[in-house]
Amino acid sequence: MPSFLHEAIVEILRANPALVIQLLPQPKRSLLPPFDTIVPDSSDLGAALAPELSADCLLRVEREGQTVFV
C-alpha cells in the first residue's frame, strides 16, 4: 500500500505538472524536446501491465498541441 507521502507527491504533480521540470537536475532538462506545456493524463495503461506495475501519474509533454514526450 502506498504511503501518505507517496500519494501526496502524486497529487502535487497531478495538480502542478510543470513542477516536474523544476525538480529535474539541469543536465536532464536539456534532454527533453522543446515543449510549451505539460498536462496530466490518464495513468490507465490498460491490461498490458500487471496492476502492481501500473503508473501512479502520467504527464504528457506537448508542443503546439502535439505530444512530444510522455
Side-chain angles (χ1 to χ4, degrees), residues 7-20 38-41 57-59:
E7 291 299 321
I9 292 169
V10 168
E11 287 303 315
I12 289 169
L13 289 177
R14 284 184 185 143
N16 186 5
L19 180 62
V20 76
I38 301 175
V39 294
D41 204 346
C57 182
L58 189 131
L59 302 175

Side-chain angles (χ1 to χ4, degrees), residues 11-34:
E11 287 303 315
I12 289 169
L13 289 177
R14 284 184 185 143
N16 186 5
L19 180 62
V20 76
I21 299 301
Q22 296 173 354
L23 296 173
L24 285 174
Q26 188 61 37
K28 299 288 184 184
R29 292 181 202 176
S30 64
L31 297 175
L32 286 173

Side-chain angles (χ1 to χ4, degrees), residues 1 5 14 16-18 21-23 27 29-30 34 36-38 40-42 46 49 51-53 57 61 64 68-69:
M1 175 175 221
L5 177 60
R14 284 184 185 143
N16 186 5
I21 299 301
Q22 296 173 354
L23 296 173
R29 292 181 202 176
S30 64
D36 51 36
T37 188
I38 301 175
D41 204 346
S42 170
L49 296 175
E52 61 271 12
L53 298 177
C57 182
V61 178
E64 298 175 357
V68 293
F69 190 77

